[in-house]
Amino acid sequence: MLTLTSGAVQVIRTVTADPELPPDTGIRIESGLNGSDALRLSVAPAPEAGDQVVEEEGARVYLEPGVATMLDDKTLDAQVDPQGDVAFTIAEGEL
């Protein structure tokens, strides 16, 4: 199962903490367009049917079924640069 670093947990909780958002809001990771290897991340109000849910310390990640298999042994990390831009990275194994 995909694991989350403390940095990823913190960023996801910050991104989804808006009180205007539904309580189950999380980050959804799905396949890229046109069969590319790129993945797309978006804020989602809830998981879609068939999604695998990874939850850690209040941070929720919803994984499209095919993506869940691909990321099964990976770790999601996130960094915020000085300008406030977020960059998510996926690494082999645990960081």
Side-chain angles (χ1 to χ4, degrees):
M1 180 179 289
L2 178 71
T3 58
L4 308 178
T5 66
S6 60
V9 167
Q10 182 178 1
V11 168
I12 293 166
R13 286 175 41 187
T14 299
V15 168
T16 60
D18 185 336
E20 300 289 319
L21 295 173
D24 289 337
T25 298
I27 299 294
R28 184 163 195 269
I29 304 176
E30 59 190 328
S31 301
L33 299 174
N34 301 324
S36 86
D37 288 339
L39 298 174
R40 296 186 316 158
L41 279 74
S42 60
V43 176
E48 292 186 13
D51 281 357
Q52 181 183 85
V53 178
V54 176
E55 185 169 358
E56 191 168 320
E57 298 177 34
R60 290 179 199 86
V61 178
Y62 305 130
L63 302 169
E64 180 182 72
V67 170
T69 301
M70 180 177 26
L71 300 181
D72 188 50
D73 60 345
K74 307 288 189 290
T75 298
L76 180 67
D77 191 20
Q79 304 284 330
V80 180
D81 70 18
Q83 291 76 34
D85 294 324
V86 176
F88 284 96
T89 55
I90 296 171
E92 295 286 334
E94 293 192 28
L95 296 178

